[in-house]
Amino acid sequence: MLMRTDPFRELDRVTQQLFRGDGSLAPTSMPMDAWREGDTFVVEFDLPGLRAEDVDLDVERNVVTVRAERPARDAGQEMIAAERRRGTFTRQLILGDNLDTSSIDAAYDAGVLTLRIPVAEQAKPRKIQITARGGGHTAIDA
């Protein structure tokens, strides 16, 4: 389902999440949960405080990229605490070939982006007809 085959991409993602552009530590952003419900793979990303139009979702082959932007505060403000990450941040998922990336459904509600990705038809279990030498047909599970 969800494959992590490029350790350098994962290292870049972790580094990007740990450090801000100025080199200071940043809290981890865009945590996710992923699970399977029958013939659907579900992924939820936490994006609190963002609007749906602040989130961009791209699919290229089997890579899903979620990009979100939280604008910077006005430079004239005196910050007392600045723990919420600002700017653009991304998260990529490398999906297996058994998922149908052409039919992804994305919904955004209460700061949670939910992706529903169906299992590809060719990856679902199916029955195959076998012709017996005597001319009869027998169905077996594949």
Side-chain angles (χ1 to χ4, degrees):
M1 291 290 188
L2 181 63
M3 299 184 312
R4 294 181 183 214
T5 57
D6 186 352
F8 296 108
R9 178 178 283 162
E10 185 67 12
L11 182 61
D12 286 343
R13 182 187 67 77
V14 170
T15 302
Q16 182 183 34
Q17 286 184 343
L18 288 177
F19 297 98
R20 295 182 177 150
D22 62 1
S24 63
L25 284 175
T28 303
S29 58
M30 210 184 307
M32 72 165 208
D33 290 333
W35 67 93
R36 184 170 176 169
E37 289 179 0
D39 287 340
T40 304
F41 187 68
V42 182
V43 184
E44 287 183 340
F45 296 93
D46 282 349
L47 299 166
L50 297 177
R51 301 170 300 169
E53 51 269 15
D54 298 329
V55 181
D56 188 37
L57 181 64
D58 293 317
V59 178
E60 185 176 338
R61 295 190 49 175
N62 66 333
V63 178
V64 175
T65 303
V66 180
R67 181 174 288 109
E69 183 172 358
R70 182 175 285 127
R73 295 252 183 226
D74 182 13
Q77 296 174 333
E78 178 185 351
M79 294 300 296
I80 305 303
E83 296 178 355
R84 293 175 50 199
R85 184 165 179 205
R86 299 281 171 182
T88 302
F89 46 100
T90 61
R91 180 106 189 230
Q92 289 188 320
L93 299 177
I94 301 172
L95 304 175
D97 294 333
N98 58 338
L99 296 176
D100 183 4
T101 57
S102 65
S103 300
I104 294 176
D105 176 58
Y108 189 74
D109 183 40
V112 178
L113 173 64
T114 303
L115 306 181
R116 301 184 70 76
I117 310 165
V119 173
E121 286 299 319
Q122 67 268 21
K124 292 180 183 177
R126 61 192 180 284
K127 293 194 182 265
I128 298 173
Q129 290 293 115
I130 297 177
T131 304
R133 291 190 185 258
H137 294 284
T138 305
I140 63 169
D141 288 328

